[in-house]
């Protein structure tokens, strides 16, 4: 909520790793200030931890976790989407679409429900329909005619990678 504190907090966290004077390139500062920080302060701490392992000198985009850069590309849209749908639900549905599409050529709602039934996040067909509808609005998936099923688009693959990267960095 307080964007003006992001750089101050980042420097504070980096000092705990022994990085006293950290210079950020203008691109990095702009990206950090524009990023919505859905993981809040813990996510910022994780970014500082990631950055701490790079040598001294100006911090460039290549010294940030990949998902931050990917977020800037689709940031507005994808962040709006993950505020509309719980991130873990979107992630699991997109994963299911990828898995089922590789086997069947497409993934129908019923097959996604069946696939997720024994997972840590079983979802009902109606909920899956809503998530797929939103995902289609954001051009993450396309639905085939009739029983053609749903497939991930290139944009959907980028979003899935972004979600996977966030999950690997964000604390639970």
């Amino acid at each position: 909520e307080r964007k003006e504190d992001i750089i101050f907090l980042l420097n504070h966290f980096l000092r705990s790793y022994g990085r006293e004077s950290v210079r950020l390139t203008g691109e990095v500062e702009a990206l950090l200030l524009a990023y919505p920080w859905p993981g809040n302060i813990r996510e910022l701490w994780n970014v500082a931890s990631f950055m701490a392992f790079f040598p001294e000198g100006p911090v460039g985009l290549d010294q940030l976790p990949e998902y931050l850069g990917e977020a800037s590309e689709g940031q507005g849209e994808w962040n709006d989407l993950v505020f509309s749908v719980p991130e873990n639900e979107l992630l699991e549905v997109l994963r299911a679409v990828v898995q089922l599409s590789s086997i069947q050529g497409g993934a129908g709602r019923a097959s996604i429900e069946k696939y997720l039934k024994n997972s840590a996040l079983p979802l009902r067909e109606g909920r899956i329909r809503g998530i797929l509808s939103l995902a289609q609005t954001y051009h993450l998936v396309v639905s085939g005619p009739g029983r053609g099923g749903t497939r991930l688009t290139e944009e959907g693959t980028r979003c899935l990678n972004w979600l996977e990267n966030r999950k690997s960095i964000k604390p639970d």
Side-chain angles (χ1 to χ4, degrees), residues 101-122:
S101 293
S102 69
I103 298 166
Q104 307 169 176
R109 291 186 307 267
S111 61
I112 294 171
E113 180 182 23
K114 189 174 180 180
Y115 180 86
L116 295 174
K117 186 176 185 177
N118 297 318
S119 75
L121 188 67

Side-chain angles (χ1 to χ4, degrees), residues 32-86:
L32 295 174
L33 292 174
Y35 187 72
W37 300 103
N40 212 328
I41 196 145
R42 293 182 303 173
E43 186 176 4
L44 183 60
W45 172 267
N46 285 336
V47 169
S49 301
F50 185 89
M51 291 169 61
F53 290 99
F54 287 93
E56 294 292 328
V59 174
L61 291 174
D62 59 332
Q63 294 168 303
L64 295 177
E66 271 186 45
Y67 78 88
L68 289 176
E70 291 172 355
S72 69
E73 296 168 11
Q75 178 175 319
E77 288 188 33
W78 296 345
N79 283 316
D80 289 347
L81 179 60
V82 297
F83 286 118
S84 302
V85 176

